[in-house]
Amino acid sequence: MDMADTLRQVTFERVANSSYEVRNARGGTIRVGSGGADTDFTPVELLLAAIGTCSAIDVDIVVSRRAEPTEFSAVVRGDKVRDAEEGNRMENLAVEFVVHFPDGEDGDKAREALPRAVKMSHDRLCTVSRTVELGTPVTTTVND
């Protein structure tokens, strides 16, 4: 497989102390900060959002073929642990979906497919949660 097909990246620039504008290759932007008084997402909030929405996309594709959800939301949570020995990290990561479908045969088919779709996303499809669970190493460098 060509590396150009597999590479994913974002870039960011500092806007102010501990505040950054992140940009994707398609020109989309999001502000990320340290979690002060502003509304910028923190890196941990982005991680939680990435885990949840990655799985949601997988699930939505499957169930929406059967019926359009009347509600599709989730809470993604975890505990931020400060550990002098092993370093800061998140523990107890969890995604809790609330998905409802209309009454009728199509809604019944979607309800039946939902648990299987959630499991398949968790076990195989969601790149973000699979990466977190497998513990993929991260390298950091400084370029002049």
Side-chain angles (χ1 to χ4, degrees), residues 53-65:
T53 56
C54 181
S55 188
I57 290 166
D58 295 337
V59 171
D60 204 0
I61 289 169
V62 172
V63 299
S64 294
R65 286 187 198 134

Side-chain angles (χ1 to χ4, degrees), residues 36-50:
D38 57 30
T39 59
D40 293 354
F41 279 82
T42 68
V44 169
E45 290 166 341
L46 284 180
L47 176 66
L48 295 173

Side-chain angles (χ1 to χ4, degrees), residues 86-106:
E86 293 189 45
N88 298 346
R89 64 184 177 282
M90 293 296 293
E91 289 185 347
N92 305 314
L93 294 169
V95 181
E96 184 179 309
F97 285 103
V98 176
V99 186
H100 295 122
F101 301 97
D103 291 335
E105 187 178 338
D106 289 345

Side-chain angles (χ1 to χ4, degrees), residues 55 58-63 66 97 110 112-125:
S55 188
D58 295 337
V59 171
D60 204 0
I61 289 169
V62 172
V63 299
R66 290 151 177 86
F97 285 103
E112 182 182 328
L114 181 61
R116 192 171 59 250
V118 169
K119 181 173 176 20
M120 191 165 49
S121 176
H122 175 268
D123 293 351
R124 291 189 36 244
L125 299 176

